[in-house]
């Protein structure tokens, strides 16, 4: 009732949800620059480096979601056979 009394009918039509932000988002620009300059080999390594840089400790799924949100994707690498000829490829 308070929103209606204070602001009228338009305040009742508004839908407001709580959207909590991760504390890692405060360090988004520094972490983004760091990970683009220094690609990580694994999520464990990324988790360790985030803890060293920011002091914030997160689980592996949270780190994966954060990295995806800033545009860093996991890439699988393959090996080249020992006798591969670069000219023929």
């Amino acid at each position: 009732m308070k929103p209606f009394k204070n602001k009228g009918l338009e305040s009742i039509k508004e839908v407001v949800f709580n959207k909590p932000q991760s504390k890692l988002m405060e360090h988004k620009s520094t972490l983004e620059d760091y990970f683009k300059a220094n690609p990580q080999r694994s999520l464990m390594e990324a988790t360790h480096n985030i803890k060293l840089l920011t002091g914030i400790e997160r689980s592996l799924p949270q780190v994966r979601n954060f990295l995806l949100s800033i545009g860093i994707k996991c890439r699988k690498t393959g090996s080249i056979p020992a006798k591969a000829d670069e000219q023929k490829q």
Side-chain angles (χ1 to χ4, degrees):
M1 282 308 274
K2 286 184 182 181
F4 177 72
K5 287 181 182 178
N6 294 337
K7 297 180 183 177
L9 188 59
E10 292 301 318
S11 65
I12 294 177
K13 292 180 182 179
E14 291 179 9
V15 179
V16 181
F17 292 103
N18 182 19
K19 294 182 181 179
Q21 290 286 326
S22 172
K23 291 189 179 188
L24 290 176
M25 291 308 255
E26 296 172 6
H27 306 280
K28 178 183 175 181
S29 60
T30 56
L31 290 173
E32 188 174 8
D33 294 339
Y34 177 77
F35 287 129
K36 287 187 178 180
N38 305 307
Q40 305 296 294
R41 293 185 191 121
S42 67
L43 282 174
M44 293 284 285
E45 186 178 355
T47 304
H48 177 72
N49 287 331
I50 287 174
K51 186 176 180 186
L52 290 177
L53 293 170
T54 64
I56 300 172
E57 189 172 0
R58 295 287 184 252
S59 65
L60 294 178
Q62 289 176 331
V63 170
R64 181 185 307 112
N65 290 337
F66 174 74
L67 293 176
L68 288 173
S69 73
I70 63 173
I72 297 175
K73 298 179 182 178
C74 297
R75 301 285 184 194
K76 290 185 178 182
T77 59
S79 60
I80 297 176
K83 296 182 181 180
D85 186 14
E86 293 178 9
Q87 298 300 326
K88 288 182 182 179
Q89 291 183 356

